[in-house]
Amino acid sequence: MHRMNRLALLALPLALAAPAMAQEAEPVTPASIVEAAAPEEWVAIAPEDLLVMDLAPDAAGRARQVVIQLMPAPFSQPWVENVRKLARAHWWDGTSVYRVVDNWVAQWGDVSEEKPLPEGTLATTGLPYASRPSRLNRPLIEEYLGNAYEGITDHRIAWLDGYADWPRTGHYADMEMWIDGWPIAADKNGEGVWPIHCYAHVGVARDLAPDTGTGAELYAVIGHAPRQLDRNIAVVGRVISGIEHLSTLRRGTGEAGVYEYRAEDTPIVSVRLGSELPEAPQFEYLSTEGESFARYVESRANRNDAFYTVPAGGVDVCNVQVPVRAAAR
Amino acid sequence: MHRMNRLALLALPLALAAPAMAQEAEPVTPASIVEAAAPEEWVAIAPEDLLVMDLAPDAAGRARQVVIQLMPAPFSQPWVENVRKLARAHWWDGTSVYRVVDNWVAQWGDVSEEKPLPEGTLATTGLPYASRPSRLNRPLIEEYLGNAYEGITDHRIAWLDGYADWPRTGHYADMEMWIDGWPIAADKNGEGVWPIHCYAHVGVARDLAPDTGTGAELYAVIGHAPRQLDRNIAVVGRVISGIEHLSTLRRGTGEAGVYEYRAEDTPIVSVRLGSELPEAPQFEYLSTEGESFARYVESRANRNDAFYTVPAGGVDVCNVQVPVRAAAR
């Protein structure tokens, strides 16, 4: 077989992956598990949870649309509310992507920092980044958070510190899991849960603490997950389509990776909530509470298709991307 | 302070970071530790360990040079030797970057797969990716690998499974550490050590096992560290300058992210060993055996400068980039 194609098997975004083969002899892969998931395991993303950002076309005239899924309650909700307000006010129209740093972030908003925020923008200074698990209303999660972290065998809720056989401890939290389609971290005593910075996740740029940013200046991660930002910045969403329109932008050469000249900025034509658009793109994610997702995580941690000779036996939470796909209209 | 600048503090490549302030009041940061390192802690990279790849200029006529540091012994040496042979034969001249996948890799070589390899190219089929620690000739490492993993306090050699207070276990190995400037993983029984896939690391594309690739088709990681490839692919180096010339390339839309049309490829003008070039760029890395590096790792795991309110208390090995800088000629 062509050697590019083999390496490529790993690389294909799930939505583009070849259909799983029907033959029993075919090895189980993350892609084949996702492909075989029952229709009812896919969860539609509500239009008001989608942020649709149209950048100016590229030099060759090609459209550049970036779609962001917003973080659900109880995580980062004051900032998410501000993001919805800013979108409804069409505040980002005419602003730009003005800062791009390799292996770090692409950042957008009002580079002049002079544009007034919409009336009703929530004050966020000093707000905490972690939430109380009691707000989750998720019996399963609460049970785990409340017990002694022993005997966990459900791979959807894992990375326990020294007790679980698999997978093993994270560096940035005592516990990592998925809730409502999102990777979430928690501390050992169950006092707090918080969203994670992974590739393509979107956060709120800010000044020094206790400032936490309003949500007007946003960034998307375009490199290795900067987990040190967890609990230090509000994570409000993730790019689910079009991240390449941000990750391929020329890196800024000015201070801190801000473009030196405004002509280098990438203009933002419009940012809209999906609920504002008559023809909004539709997406769905694979439920992280279902059996297919549990199998998917286990497969990600123990690749046994023909390309792999040594399964890792564990997996970084940011290497388990929650499957998201365009939904039939 | 300008909010962009604060987020940016985290982002600055070390070589571009502002000099550490002399005032005692300034917080210690990873950048200030590196800045304060003694000159003798910097290790020159030998010219024969540098691979200098000149891509064709970009659409605006700007030069695009990518510099790769090759992996030292005992890691991946048959492939590294092949890479040196291919460079000396000028084998890559006229080949191209033909495959780019977002959050995955940029891959280059001979897309036709018809170009004959130089005489003397080593057969690598079936060779192991891990090395025996006994080949390391490093008493310090051998001592750690040989003991019961208890009581480790040296942060340069850490990530021990359940014993060390800090940092905590990795997902992909029992132990992670740095040797001769490189992140390295090891298994619990000390039987093997192997190089790691982090952002910008360079590996050898291959067909299905037992094929291991020759080194003619290479890729650089341009996304979150694909650690599941560790021990499944030979890691032969890392991009130490110019990774942005690969990470910003348009993503391929053909099968597996290969460009659909050869006109989309980025031509490779030349690839040379530093030792072949009269005016080779010179680089040095911060010794991973010195005190400054130990402090740097600890600082990366416990950011306490003004931007951070919650230090992580641990750090992913791929978030501890070994400082590399251009050396004075």
Side-chain angles (χ1 to χ4, degrees):
Chain A
M1 190 172 284
H2 197 269
R3 60 181 176 259
M4 289 185 294
N5 294 349
R6 301 318 305 178
L7 185 60
L9 263 183
L10 314 172
L12 285 172
L14 288 163
L16 302 176
M21 296 296 137
Q23 296 90 324
E24 289 203 321
E26 280 296 310
V28 171
T29 65
S32 75
I33 291 166
V34 172
E35 182 72 23
E40 58 270 25
E41 290 194 87
W42 291 92
V43 182
I45 300 174
E48 59 269 26
D49 289 341
L50 289 178
L51 202 61
V52 181
M53 175 161 71
D54 284 320
L55 304 176
D58 72 10
R62 290 176 290 241
R64 291 187 284 187
Q65 185 170 83
V66 178
V67 182
I68 294 164
Q69 179 188 8
L70 296 174
M71 180 74 59
F75 305 105
S76 307
Q77 289 304 290
W79 297 274
V80 171
E81 272 315 300
N82 278 348
V83 167
R84 286 201 184 91
K85 279 193 173 68
L86 289 154
R88 288 197 188 99
H90 300 182
W91 188 85
W92 281 291
D93 296 14
T95 64
S96 67
V97 185
Y98 54 76
R99 177 186 180 221
V100 186
V101 181
D102 197 76
N103 193 20
W104 191 245
V105 299
Q107 185 171 324
W108 64 91
D110 170 35
V111 67
S112 78
E113 300 194 276
E114 290 172 358
K115 191 166 183 172
L117 296 176
E119 208 174 322
T121 302
L122 302 174
T124 53
T125 302
L127 287 181
Y129 300 116
S131 303
R132 305 288 291 189
S134 59
R135 298 173 58 199
L136 287 173
N137 193 24
R138 290 237 150 232
L140 188 71
I141 304 298
E142 290 187 342
E143 179 189 327
Y144 286 130
L145 286 173
N147 73 15
Y149 291 88
E150 293 189 68
I152 304 299
T153 56
D154 188 333
H155 294 164
R156 293 166 295 188
I157 302 166
W159 279 278
L160 304 188
D161 194 6
Y163 294 100
D165 283 341
W166 180 92
R168 296 183 298 234
T169 313
H171 300 302
Y172 299 99
D174 292 326
M175 184 172 179
E176 291 166 350
M177 59 193 145
W178 290 269
I179 297 175
D180 290 344
W182 293 82
I184 298 295
D187 66 4
K188 206 168 200 165
N189 59 17
E191 293 275 319
V193 288
W194 60 89
I196 290 175
H197 279 83
C198 291
Y199 187 87
H201 282 210
V202 174
V204 175
R206 65 165 169 87
D207 204 334
L208 291 183
D211 179 72
T212 62
T214 59
E217 310 301 310
L218 297 174
Y219 62 87
V221 172
I222 57 165
H224 190 75
R227 299 287 309 279
Q228 67 274 23
L229 297 178
D230 293 359
R231 286 186 287 179
N232 285 290
I233 288 195
V235 180
V236 292
R238 63 181 166 206
V239 177
I240 57 172
S241 176
I243 182 66
E244 69 275 15
H245 302 310
L246 297 170
S247 59
T248 60
L249 292 176
R250 188 154 186 257
R251 283 33 175 158
T253 52
E255 190 188 350
V258 174
Y259 292 121
E260 290 182 80
Y261 309 102
R262 295 282 65 78
E264 298 177 281
D265 289 2
T266 299
I268 295 173
V269 176
S270 71
V271 176
R272 296 288 180 273
L273 284 175
S275 47
E276 292 183 275
L277 296 170
E279 294 279 320
Q282 296 181 27
F283 291 91
E284 54 194 12
Y285 67 88
L286 184 65
S287 167
T288 50
E289 280 75 38
E291 283 311 308
S292 291
F293 187 77
R295 292 179 59 227
Y296 169 78
V297 175
E298 179 154 8
S299 173
R300 280 250 168 247
N302 292 287
R303 294 295 295 258
N304 65 355
D305 42 285
F307 189 84
Y308 288 87
T309 52
V310 182
V315 64
D316 179 349
V317 66
C318 287
N319 267 327
V320 182
Q321 291 164 295
V322 175
V324 175
R325 67 183 186 186
R329 299 186 69 92
Chain B
M1 188 170 287
H2 197 269
R3 60 182 175 259
M4 288 187 296
N5 294 348
R6 301 317 307 178
L7 185 60
L9 261 183
L10 313 172
L12 284 171
L14 289 163
L16 302 176
M21 296 294 137
Q23 297 89 323
E24 288 202 322
E26 282 295 311
V28 171
T29 65
S32 74
I33 291 167
V34 172
E35 182 71 23
E40 57 269 24
E41 291 194 87
W42 291 92
V43 182
I45 299 175
E48 59 269 26
D49 289 341
L50 289 178
L51 202 60
V52 181
M53 175 161 70
D54 284 319
L55 304 176
D58 72 9
R62 291 177 290 240
R64 292 187 282 188
Q65 185 170 84
V66 178
V67 182
I68 295 164
Q69 178 188 9
L70 296 174
M71 180 74 59
F75 305 105
S76 305
Q77 289 304 290
W79 297 275
V80 171
E81 271 315 298
N82 278 348
V83 167
R84 287 202 183 91
K85 279 192 173 72
L86 288 154
R88 288 198 187 99
H90 300 182
W91 188 85
W92 282 292
D93 297 14
T95 65
S96 67
V97 186
Y98 54 77
R99 176 187 181 221
V100 186
V101 181
D102 198 75
N103 193 21
W104 190 245
V105 299
Q107 184 170 325
W108 64 91
D110 170 36
V111 68
S112 78
E113 301 194 276
E114 291 172 359
K115 192 168 181 171
L117 296 176
E119 209 174 322
T121 302
L122 301 175
T124 53
T125 301
L127 287 181
Y129 299 116
S131 303
R132 305 288 291 190
S134 58
R135 298 172 59 199
L136 287 172
N137 193 24
R138 291 238 149 231
L140 187 71
I141 304 299
E142 290 187 342
E143 179 190 327
Y144 286 130
L145 286 173
N147 73 17
Y149 292 88
E150 292 190 69
I152 304 299
T153 57
D154 187 333
H155 293 167
R156 292 167 295 190
I157 302 166
W159 280 278
L160 305 187
D161 194 5
Y163 293 101
D165 283 341
W166 182 94
R168 295 183 299 236
T169 311
H171 299 303
Y172 298 99
D174 291 326
M175 184 173 179
E176 290 166 351
M177 58 192 147
W178 291 270
I179 298 175
D180 290 345
W182 293 81
I184 299 295
D187 66 4
K188 207 167 200 165
N189 59 17
E191 293 276 318
V193 288
W194 60 88
I196 290 175
H197 280 84
C198 290
Y199 187 87
H201 281 209
V202 175
V204 175
R206 64 164 170 87
D207 205 332
L208 291 183
D211 180 72
T212 62
T214 59
E217 308 303 309
L218 297 175
Y219 63 87
V221 172
I222 58 166
H224 190 75
R227 298 289 307 280
Q228 67 273 24
L229 297 179
D230 294 357
R231 285 186 286 181
N232 286 290
I233 287 194
V235 180
V236 293
R238 64 182 166 206
V239 176
I240 57 172
S241 177
I243 183 67
E244 69 276 14
H245 302 310
L246 297 170
S247 59
T248 60
L249 292 176
R250 186 154 188 257
R251 284 26 178 164
T253 53
E255 189 188 350
V258 174
Y259 292 120
E260 289 182 81
Y261 308 103
R262 296 282 64 77
E264 297 177 280
D265 289 3
T266 299
I268 295 174
V269 176
S270 70
V271 176
R272 297 288 180 274
L273 286 174
S275 48
E276 292 183 275
L277 296 170
E279 296 279 319
Q282 296 181 27
F283 291 90
E284 54 194 13
Y285 68 88
L286 185 65
S287 167
T288 49
E289 281 73 41
E291 282 311 307
S292 290
F293 187 76
R295 293 179 59 227
Y296 169 78
V297 174
E298 180 153 7
S299 173
R300 281 250 168 247
N302 292 287
R303 295 294 295 259
N304 64 355
D305 42 286
F307 190 83
Y308 287 87
T309 52
V310 182
V315 65
D316 179 348
V317 66
C318 286
N319 267 326
V320 181
Q321 290 164 296
V322 175
V324 175
R325 67 184 186 186
R329 298 187 68 91

